[in-house]
Amino acid sequence: MLLDYIDFIVQSFVTTLIMTFLGLSGGLVLGILSALGDVYGNRFIRIIIGAYVEFFRGSPLIVQLLLFYFSFPVLTGIKWDSFTAGAVTLMLNSGAYQKGYFKGAIEAVSKDQLLAARSLGMTSGQILRHIVLPQAFRIVIPSWTNEYVSLGLSTSALTVIGLRELTTISKSIAAQTFEPLEVYSLTGLIYLTWISISIKILNYIYSRVKIPGLEISVGAVPS
Amino acid sequence: MAITKQLSRKASTILEVYDNIMRGIPVLVIMLFLHFGLAAFIPIFRDPFISTIIALGLRSCAFQSQIFRGAMNSVSRDQMLAAVSLGMTKMQIFRHIIIPQAFIVALPGLGSEIALLIKDSSYSFVLGVLDLAKYADILRAAQKSFYPYLLAAAIYVAITLPIASYLDRLGSALKTKYGLR
Amino acid sequence: MSVLECVDLKKSYGRLQVLKGINFEIKRGEKKVIIGPSGSGKSTFLRIMGFLEPPTEGRIFFKGEDVYASRLNLNLIRSKIGFVFQEPSLFRHLTCLENVKIGLKCVLKMRDKEATEKAIEALKAVKMEEWADYYPAQLSGGQQQRVGIARALARDPEILLFDEPTASLDVELTWEVIDVMRDLARRGVTMLIVTHEIAFAKEVADEILFMNSGRIIESGPPEQILTNPRTPRVKEFLKRLVGGT
C-alpha cells in the first residue's frame, strides 16, 4: 500500500534535506556576521542585531513562515513561491540561533591570546582570521549539532505554507490511504533515522577536528 | 527521569531510547501521529487540544531530563566525596546536596524550554486548534492583510522573551551567589 | 644606542593614575629588572613599553624615534619587540611549532619553509623542539611559558619584555623558565624583566629598578639595591620578600 507512494516520500524527503541545508548554510553566514557585529560593532549595530535575534528566537517558526509568505508579495509586489519564502525564513530563523552560539564561542577565546597576538604585531583582521575564528569554529561544533537537529526537525513547519516536504506529503498520503497510523509511523521513522545518522556523522567530524584543550561547549543548550 | 537515570542502569537504557526518539522526530509529526493515527484506538486523542498537550508534554519530558542530567553532573565530585565522608546516604546526598545545586544550574535551560513550549504550541494550528496563530490566520483571511501575523509574532515575543531572560538572569545571579559553575 | 626610552610617562585609567611620570632608558645588550609590590604599575609600564597600550602622557622612543609623535606603524614596531606574558598565552588551536610560526608568517611574511626553520631554532633555544607538534593543553605551565618565550624570540627582536613570566608557576617549574632566561641573558639579548625572583635578578641584571605606586623610587646596580638600599620602602619590601619565601 504505502509502497505505491514511495516516490512521493523520497521526493519530499529530498525537499526536507534541501531546506535544512539551505537554512543551515544561510543561517551560518548570518549567524557569524551578526555574532561579529554584536561583539565588535557599535551600539546601533548591536541594537539592530538584538531586535533581529529576539524576534526570530521569540516567535514560533510557523508564524514567521506565514508572515513572510504572505507579507513579502504585498510589500514588494513580487510574487514568491513557498520554496523561496520557506528557505529565506529558515535562514533568518537559524541565523538568529547560530548568532548566539558563535557569540559565545568568539567570547570564549581568552583575552590573553588576543593580547599575545597583538604583541606579535598582528592586525585586527589577522587576529580574527588566524586566532579567533579557527578556535570559535571548533568550540561551536557541539552547539551547531544541536542547531542542525533542531532546524532539521523544524522543517516540518513548512507544511503551513504548503511546501511539499516530508510532513506535508505524509498528511496527504494519510488522507488518501486512510491509514494514518502506518503513514505517520513511517514518517517518524524516516526523521528519526535521518537525525540519528546525522548526529553520528557530525560527532565523527567533531572527533576528527578536536584539539586537546578546546573541548569547551558553550552553555547547556537544549533542543 | 533524570534521577532514575542515575540510579538504575536498565531504566537508563530505556530512557535513553525514549530520549532519542523524542529528540529525533518533529513534534508536529508526533501530534499528527497521536491525533490522526491513534485517535481510532484511543478516543481521547480525537481532541486536537489534548493531542497537542500530550505531544508537547512527551517531548518536554525528554528535553527536561537532558537539562537536569547536565545540571546534576555539574555538581562537583569533591562535594559528593565530602558528603559520603560525612556518612550521608545516596538519597540524602541527592536531596540535600545535588538537587538544590542542580536546580539553580538548570534554570536558564528551563527558561528556554518554557519558551520553546510556548512557541511550539503554535503547531496545534495544523491540527485546527484555535490558538494564537490560528486566530491570526482567520483574521488575515477576513481582512486580507498580513498584520495579524505580525501582531501574533509580537505577542509571542512579548510572552517568551521575559520568561527566558528572567530565568536566565536569575540562574546566573544565583550561580554567582553560590559560586556554582 | 638606546632601544627603548621614555620621558615623563604617565598613564591613567579614568581618575586613577597608575603611572606618575617615569623616565627610563634601556640600551642594546642591557638587562634591566623591575621589582616592586603588586599594584605598583609594573605590568602597565611594561605593556606601554611594548606598545600594547598607549600612554596618557609622555613620549616613548623606539631606537631614537618618537613612536606616537611620528605616528609610526605600531604593528611594525610590535613585530620588533618580543613580549612574554604572565599567563602562558599560547594560541590553543595551534601546535607549539605553529604558535611560533604564526607571527613569522603573518607579520614578517616569511615563507613556510623559512618560518619552520626559524621556529625550530627558537624552540631549540628553549629546549622544546621535541614538543613541537604538541598542543598547549598537553604541556605543563613551565613548558608553555618556554614556548611563549620561543614565540617572542623567533623574530630576532630588538628587545624582549618579560611580565612576571614565572608568577603563575610552581616552584619547580619556575626553574626551567629561569634557566632559559639566564641562557638568553648570556647570549647578550636585550631584556627588560618584571619579576620577583631576586636571586635571578641579582645574577643577570645590569640595573634593578624599584617601582612603587607609579614611580621608580630607586634604581642602581643589583649589589647596591639588594644589599644596601637607600630608601626604607625598598628595605622593607626586600625583607618581606626574603622572609616570606
Side-chain angles (χ1 to χ4, degrees):
Chain A
M1 274 297 285
L2 274 180
L3 279 180
D4 301 341
Y5 295 93
I6 196 79
D7 284 357
F8 290 109
I9 293 173
V10 171
Q11 268 174 29
S12 64
F13 179 58
V14 170
T15 309
T16 295
L17 286 179
I18 292 174
M19 294 312 277
T20 308
F21 175 76
L22 286 177
L24 276 173
S25 37
L28 184 73
V29 176
L30 277 172
I32 294 176
L33 288 181
S34 25
L36 289 175
D38 201 26
V39 176
Y40 301 112
N42 61 27
R43 229 184 101 117
F44 178 70
I45 294 177
R46 287 214 301 273
I47 289 175
I48 302 253
I49 291 170
Y52 155 63
V53 169
E54 298 306 358
F55 177 81
F56 280 96
R57 292 181 57 147
S59 59
L61 182 58
I62 286 202
V63 177
Q64 292 163 16
L65 285 166
L66 292 168
L67 180 64
F68 279 80
Y69 184 52
F70 288 112
S71 72
F72 188 76
V74 178
L75 290 175
T76 61
I78 305 165
K79 283 201 81 166
W80 67 354
D81 53 2
S82 54
F83 185 87
T84 324
V88 169
T89 316
L90 284 180
M91 285 175 191
L92 288 166
N93 180 284
S94 181
Y97 284 94
Q98 292 191 46
K99 178 244 148 190
Y101 303 140
F102 274 103
K103 188 185 174 197
I106 288 171
E107 288 177 337
V109 180
S110 67
K111 293 266 185 301
D112 296 349
Q113 293 179 57
L114 303 184
L115 198 64
R118 272 212 292 149
S119 85
L120 294 178
M122 292 168 84
T123 62
S124 304
Q126 286 172 331
I127 295 175
L128 191 65
R129 205 183 121 211
H130 295 288
I131 311 295
V132 176
L133 286 182
Q135 292 192 39
F137 269 111
R138 289 186 174 86
I139 296 170
V140 93
I141 292 177
S143 331
W144 205 77
T145 308
N146 282 338
E147 174 59 14
Y148 174 89
V149 171
S150 159
L151 189 80
L153 298 181
S154 301
T155 54
S156 65
L158 289 163
T159 191
V160 296
I161 56 171
L163 183 75
R164 297 168 62 79
E165 47 71 61
L166 190 52
T167 306
T168 313
I169 291 299
S170 307
K171 269 164 50 193
S172 40
I173 296 176
Q176 280 175 36
T177 57
F178 298 107
E179 282 176 352
L181 191 65
E182 287 83 349
V183 174
Y184 290 128
S185 303
L186 180 67
T187 313
L189 200 64
I190 295 175
Y191 276 113
L192 190 59
T193 318
W194 165 44
I195 292 299
S196 309
I197 292 176
S198 301
I199 291 178
K200 288 252 152 57
I201 294 174
L202 284 170
N203 282 346
Y204 174 72
I205 295 175
Y206 183 39
S207 69
R208 290 302 299 270
V209 301
K210 195 160 71 180
I211 283 177
L214 264 184
E215 301 93 343
I216 335 140
S217 68
V218 187
V221 188
S223 80
Chain B
M1 269 179 76
I3 295 173
T4 323
K5 229 170 215 173
Q6 298 228 322
L7 293 181
S8 146
R9 201 169 284 167
K10 217 182 259 170
S12 147
T13 326
I14 297 169
L15 290 177
E16 194 96 11
V17 172
Y18 174 80
D19 257 18
N20 284 335
I21 292 177
M22 284 302 149
R23 296 171 68 83
I25 299 177
V27 71
L28 177 58
V29 173
I30 300 174
M31 287 180 192
L32 291 167
F33 178 78
L34 295 181
H35 182 53
F36 294 107
L38 287 184
F41 312 95
I42 307 167
I44 198 170
F45 289 133
R46 278 189 205 137
D47 185 340
F49 185 68
I50 301 233
S51 308
T52 305
I53 288 181
I54 304 252
L56 288 176
L58 285 172
R59 194 194 47 166
S60 191
C61 252
F63 280 11
Q64 287 191 43
S65 97
Q66 193 92 7
I67 296 170
F68 278 112
R69 190 158 41 138
M72 292 196 305
N73 284 339
S74 77
V75 178
S76 66
R77 289 259 151 234
D78 302 347
Q79 292 181 54
M80 308 265 234
L81 219 57
V84 172
S85 81
L86 292 177
M88 290 171 86
T89 64
K90 236 180 175 180
M91 267 337 274
Q92 285 172 326
I93 297 178
F94 262 119
R95 222 192 104 200
H96 297 289
I97 311 296
I98 298 180
I99 298 290
Q101 297 190 45
F103 194 71
I104 293 173
V105 176
L107 275 178
L110 281 180
S112 43
E113 171 60 17
I114 294 171
L116 186 70
L117 274 178
I118 294 172
K119 285 185 287 171
D120 281 356
S121 66
S122 67
Y123 279 117
S124 61
F125 174 88
V126 182
L127 305 191
V129 175
L130 205 58
D131 77 333
L132 192 50
K134 186 75 184 173
Y135 265 120
D137 196 47
I138 294 170
L139 280 175
R140 181 198 59 83
Q143 301 193 344
K144 306 234 179 300
S145 135
F146 60 84
Y147 289 111
Y149 291 134
L150 201 57
L151 185 66
I155 293 175
Y156 275 113
V157 174
I159 299 172
T160 56
L161 198 63
I163 296 176
S165 71
Y166 174 70
L167 287 183
D168 195 34
R169 255 179 240 156
L170 185 66
S172 32
L174 288 174
K175 267 193 223 171
T176 326
K177 187 176 166 196
Y178 295 107
L180 301 176
R181 302 211 301 135
Chain C
M1 178 184 155
S2 89
V3 182
L4 274 176
E5 187 183 350
C6 70
V7 177
D8 201 23
L9 186 75
K10 289 178 185 158
K11 177 75 182 179
S12 308
Y13 296 105
R15 294 169 72 185
L16 181 74
Q17 195 174 29
V18 185
L19 299 178
K20 299 168 181 167
I22 289 182
N23 294 296
F24 172 81
E25 185 186 7
I26 185 165
K27 293 200 172 70
R28 171 161 294 165
E30 278 186 324
K31 291 125 197 91
K32 296 197 174 185
V33 171
I34 302 174
I35 57 174
S38 51
S40 58
K42 302 179 305 255
S43 290
T44 309
F45 175 61
L46 210 64
R47 277 205 299 276
I48 292 176
M49 295 310 276
F51 302 99
L52 295 174
E53 273 181 51
T56 317
E57 266 180 65
R59 311 200 300 169
I60 309 175
F61 301 88
F62 179 72
K63 294 174 85 177
E65 274 193 280
D66 188 334
V67 172
Y68 287 100
S70 34
R71 296 176 182 279
L72 299 178
N73 180 351
L74 287 183
N75 281 332
L76 193 71
I77 294 177
R78 286 175 190 142
S79 76
K80 292 175 182 165
I81 296 176
F83 206 111
V84 180
F85 297 86
Q86 181 171 352
E87 302 292 327
S89 50
L90 298 181
F91 306 126
R92 290 158 58 98
H93 65 303
L94 301 177
T95 62
C96 293
L97 183 67
E98 289 165 340
N99 258 286
V100 182
K101 269 168 71 178
I102 190 163
L104 304 176
K105 285 178 76 175
C106 273
V107 184
L108 304 182
K109 309 290 175 202
M110 281 190 194
R111 294 224 188 87
D112 190 72
K113 198 171 158 238
E114 194 188 351
T116 309
E117 281 169 12
K118 203 85 188 138
I120 288 180
E121 193 187 310
L123 284 173
K124 275 185 183 155
V126 299
K127 301 188 181 63
M128 283 296 292
E129 71 271 20
E130 282 166 29
W131 299 85
D133 293 328
Y134 284 76
Y135 286 98
Q138 296 168 312
L139 308 179
S140 74
Q143 290 173 323
Q144 289 188 41
Q145 205 53 299
R146 276 149 65 193
V147 177
I149 295 175
R151 183 173 66 183
L153 189 66
R155 63 250 316 271
D156 297 324
E158 302 280 343
I159 182 170
L160 276 177
L161 307 181
F162 292 84
D163 185 6
E164 299 196 40
T166 58
S168 61
L169 300 178
D170 294 340
V171 178
E172 279 173 57
L173 299 179
T174 299
W175 285 109
E176 59 182 65
V177 175
I178 292 287
D179 280 343
V180 167
M181 290 168 67
R182 190 183 290 130
D183 229 37
L184 294 176
R186 266 193 221 117
R187 282 167 43 183
V189 180
T190 316
M191 292 157 90
L192 175 58
I193 305 161
V194 172
T195 186
H196 286 302
E197 300 295 329
I198 297 296
F200 168 71
K202 191 173 175 179
E203 189 185 332
V204 303
D206 298 312
E207 186 183 38
I208 291 184
L209 306 115
F210 188 90
M211 255 180 104
N212 192 33
S213 53
R215 288 200 177 85
I216 295 176
I217 57 170
E218 192 171 343
S219 64
E223 304 80 44
Q224 186 243 309
I225 294 270
L226 297 177
T227 53
N228 193 17
R230 286 190 307 267
T231 40
R233 182 74 189 84
V234 180
K235 219 175 261 176
E236 185 197 2
F237 176 80
L238 289 172
K239 208 164 92 188
R240 281 211 196 135
L241 200 64
V242 175
T245 47

